[in-house]
Amino acid sequence: MIKYQQAIKLINKVSLNLPNEKISIPDSLNRVCAKNILSPSINPLSNNTAFDGFAVLAKETKGLSKKKVKKFKILKTIGAGDNPKIKNYQKNSSVEIMTGGIVPKPFDSIIPVEKIKYYPSEKKTNSYCCRS
């Protein structure tokens, strides 16, 4: 086996100039484009979540562990396409958020639903989730 630096020198010596060609999309599997293809828009357009969980402020979870837990009041549930605005943010509160949902301000972190203990209540405003 040759050393890394020797391999780089060999690669840099070899110059392949392959011609461009037009092929159909089904025939393009395992091929490389001759030019970069860039999207005209930023995607996603906003800060959305990639999994189900609870939006919280990271600073409010500092120091928590399996032994030291904290309850967060659930203010709202947000699904993909729902309005993410929060009118009544309070300290130690959270928002239940589904995959694709826009993360509302002021929240900056998502705790996965698998890492949460949920304490439901008859009244929606009194439900709590807890960092486990």
Side-chain angles (χ1 to χ4, degrees):
M1 185 194 285
I2 64 174
K3 293 184 178 182
Y4 175 78
Q5 292 299 333
Q6 291 174 314
I8 294 297
K9 285 179 184 177
L10 283 172
I11 290 169
N12 288 335
K13 283 182 184 179
V14 176
S15 176
L16 292 175
N17 289 325
L18 300 174
N20 294 343
E21 58 183 338
K22 288 189 178 187
I23 59 173
S24 67
I25 291 174
D27 293 334
S28 67
L29 188 62
N30 297 321
R31 304 291 294 265
V32 178
C33 285
K35 296 180 183 178
N36 289 333
I37 301 172
L38 302 175
S39 172
S41 64
I42 298 171
N43 194 2
L45 296 174
S46 54
N47 185 18
N48 64 347
T49 183
F51 50 86
D52 293 348
F54 289 83
V56 295
L57 282 172
K59 66 183 179 184
E60 293 180 347
T61 65
K62 190 172 184 177
L64 298 183
S65 66
K66 286 187 177 186
K67 291 181 181 178
K68 185 178 179 189
V69 297
K70 182 187 221 180
K71 287 185 178 181
F72 293 86
K73 186 175 181 180
I74 301 169
L75 301 176
K76 182 177 181 177
T77 298
I78 298 174
D82 288 351
N83 182 349
K85 291 189 179 181
I86 302 297
K87 295 178 184 172
N88 55 348
Y89 173 76
Q90 303 158 14
K91 188 175 180 184
N92 297 325
S93 61
S94 69
V95 171
E96 183 179 17
I97 190 161
M98 308 303 167
T99 303
I102 296 173
V103 180
K105 291 183 181 184
F107 301 110
D108 58 6
S109 299
I110 307 295
I111 301 173
V113 71
E114 296 85 4
K115 301 286 185 183
I116 294 290
K117 288 186 181 175
Y118 180 67
Y119 300 96
S121 172
E122 297 279 326
K123 296 179 180 179
K124 208 171 192 182
T125 56
N126 291 334
S127 293
Y128 292 91
C129 68
C130 180
R131 173 77 165 103
S132 65

